[in-house]
Amino acid sequence: MKRKIAILGSTGSIGVQTLDVVEQHRDMFEVELLTANNNVELLAAQARKFNPNSVVICNGEHYGALSSLLKDEDTKVFAGIDSVVGLVKILNADIVVAAMVGFSGLLPTMEAIKSGKAVALANKETLVAAGALVTKAAKENKVPILPVDSEHSAIFQSLQGEKATVEKLILTASGGPFRNAGKDEIYNATREQALKHPNWNMGAKVTIDSASMMNKGLEMIEASWLFGVPAEQIDIVVHPQSIIHSMVQFSDGSVKAQMGMPDMRVPIQYALSYPYRLDLNTPRVDFPKLGELTFQAPDMERFPALSLAFEAHRAGGNMACIMNGANEAAVNAFLKGRILFGKIPEIIEKCMEKCSFVKNPSLEDIFETHRQAVCTAQDFCR
Ligand code: MG
């Protein structure tokens, strides 16, 4: 029996690499649904190649173009985020790969969980914004959330077969392009400098988050929700080679790490085939050639976004949602050249002070919080 897959965000970095894994194992997987925001040409090419039941282009302006590109195929063509949510609910998929960018992934991911489909989660913002609600819904519906983020996959892999008490999760961070840069240099960094990640080839949003180290803050919150471990038991260590993808420390002092070359297809494959592993033609580690693996403590002063994430998670309620919304708006403004790189954490901090705090937010509160955080951040960007 083939596993039927729905990929939300199929033309992004994770989506493309997911289809590469599928392509290497056509006998195991079948594509049911592909969705994209704007990239009509790539979505049409993917649909021709993988012949899904349905495709959705979220930006309705491109519906006509997509329909005509696929007029000779039997794939059904839809438009709009409502179609994504509706199809996730009714389609016969075993696993939904949530690879949309940012907060927009929350609603379809919730729908996948509510309709009892396993979720391969690449969209960390979903858990940052609404971790309590998402994990509760997953538990109630007995739906597994399988991590695609490389750090969380590493922790998930290290936990396999263990009944021991977890003492600590150790998240590794590459340190990004500004690992050794001075405070002023980071503050005034250009778009081009911030988009140049030393080890990982990823989308623009996560690459900017890596440069500010907000990405590691988001991942700390993601790990806390995924594995039920409080922030005090999560350490972050800078590991520039990105060979150790993260570690778990147990109560006897043993540490288990998952290693490999930095290649997202490995954690994607593990989420899709769990509890099995599949052959993959990814690069292999050459230890003598590597020579050494090094580690250093993260610098919260040069990377204030990291301490904001700890602060937001400690505050609880909707604070991480405020932080996430403000970050999305600030990163967007930075990518458009409207603000300096160093303004990103400053704007987030101001939004965390200004936006309304809700102790036990409902899903509606979360949507309202996100809207408010984005608007407030946009005001600060002007
Ligand atoms: Mg990651």
Side-chain angles (χ1 to χ4, degrees):
M1 280 275 280
K2 288 185 180 182
R3 275 191 188 180
K4 294 192 175 71
I5 301 180
I7 305 174
L8 314 183
S10 69
T11 58
S13 174
I14 296 289
V16 167
Q17 294 181 82
T18 302
L19 286 172
D20 185 39
V21 171
V22 169
E23 165 129 62
Q24 291 188 43
H25 294 279
R26 289 271 197 157
D27 53 327
M28 296 208 43
F29 302 114
E30 202 173 308
V31 179
E32 275 292 297
L33 170 68
L34 297 173
T35 81
N37 277 335
N38 290 298
N39 196 339
V40 178
E41 280 77 24
L42 183 53
L43 183 59
Q46 291 174 338
R48 276 193 293 266
K49 192 164 176 183
F50 294 94
N51 193 32
N53 177 295
S54 305
V55 291
V56 184
I57 189 81
C58 290
N59 183 344
E61 283 175 26
H62 302 306
Y63 176 75
L66 184 62
S67 295
S68 70
L69 282 168
L70 293 176
K71 64 180 187 307
D72 299 327
E73 307 290 319
D74 49 17
T75 295
K76 297 180 206 100
V77 180
F78 299 90
I81 184 73
D82 292 346
S83 300
V84 177
V85 173
L87 287 166
V88 162
K89 195 188 298 189
I90 61 166
L91 273 186
N92 176 21
D94 300 305
I95 187 160
V96 175
V97 180
M100 294 164 105
V101 177
F103 185 83
S104 64
L106 175 58
L107 197 57
T109 303
M110 268 303 231
E111 207 51 62
I113 292 171
K114 284 184 196 156
S115 59
K117 296 174 180 83
V119 173
L121 189 70
N123 178 251
K124 63 194 83 179
E125 292 89 343
T126 288
L127 282 178
V128 173
L133 295 168
V134 172
T135 50
K136 184 167 171 259
K139 201 174 257 175
E140 283 171 1
N141 292 281
K142 297 187 177 65
V143 161
I145 301 179
L146 300 150
V148 170
D149 212 346
S150 61
E151 294 78 1
H152 306 76
S153 178
I155 291 168
F156 184 57
Q157 292 180 51
S158 299
L159 286 170
Q160 294 305 311
E162 291 290 347
K163 290 188 176 68
T165 307
V166 171
E167 199 167 73
K168 228 182 225 181
L169 303 180
I170 304 165
L171 283 177
T172 52
S174 68
F178 307 136
R179 182 169 55 88
N180 294 317
K183 218 174 162 184
D184 291 347
E185 200 184 326
I186 297 174
Y187 200 96
N188 296 302
T190 65
R191 189 177 179 275
E192 286 61 40
Q193 289 166 329
L195 281 172
K196 213 173 266 160
H197 197 279
N199 303 349
W200 294 96
N201 180 10
M202 310 175 287
K205 162 76 169 48
V206 59
T207 305
I208 299 302
D209 285 345
S210 295
S212 69
M213 288 199 76
M214 175 51 90
N215 185 50
K216 217 44 61 176
L218 299 175
E219 289 181 350
M220 178 275 294
I221 300 173
E222 181 187 11
S224 178
W225 287 116
L226 269 178
F227 303 109
V229 173
E232 305 80 67
Q233 282 168 259
I234 305 176
D235 279 2
I236 291 166
V237 62
V238 175
H239 165 49
Q241 296 83 13
S242 295
I243 297 297
I244 295 180
H245 300 311
S246 277
M247 303 179 258
V248 179
Q249 181 177 307
F250 296 96
S251 56
D252 62 350
S254 287
V255 178
K256 277 169 80 173
Q258 186 264 338
M259 300 189 229
M261 295 303 283
D263 191 315
M264 284 309 295
R265 289 171 298 175
V266 178
I268 290 168
Q269 166 271 140
Y270 196 71
L272 293 185
S273 63
Y274 174 79
Y276 307 102
R277 289 182 192 274
L278 303 176
D279 298 345
L280 273 186
N281 64 358
T282 49
R284 268 40 173 179
V285 181
D286 182 338
F287 284 99
K289 197 174 161 201
L290 266 171
E292 58 182 12
L293 300 179
T294 60
F295 306 93
Q296 62 195 83
D299 184 345
M300 303 267 187
E301 212 197 306
R302 284 186 304 134
F303 299 100
L306 202 48
S307 61
L308 288 174
F310 276 95
E311 197 185 301
H313 193 43
R314 229 175 286 130
N318 64 341
M319 192 58 91
C321 180
I322 297 172
M323 178 196 77
N324 180 67
N327 181 56
E328 285 191 31
V331 168
N332 206 7
F334 171 72
L335 284 169
K336 287 183 174 144
R338 292 189 191 135
I339 58 166
L340 287 172
F341 187 73
K343 286 281 173 207
I344 297 174
E346 289 181 8
I347 287 166
I348 297 168
E349 189 171 14
K350 285 191 207 165
C351 289
M352 285 168 65
E353 280 161 19
K354 200 178 172 195
C355 293
S356 324
F357 181 73
V358 182
K359 187 73 207 140
N360 289 303
S362 64
L363 196 57
E364 289 69 35
D365 294 330
I366 290 295
F367 279 95
E368 172 53 25
T369 298
H370 179 75
R371 193 200 59 76
Q372 196 193 33
V374 168
C375 287
T376 310
Q378 283 169 344
D379 284 345
F380 285 127
C381 290
R382 274 188 203 112

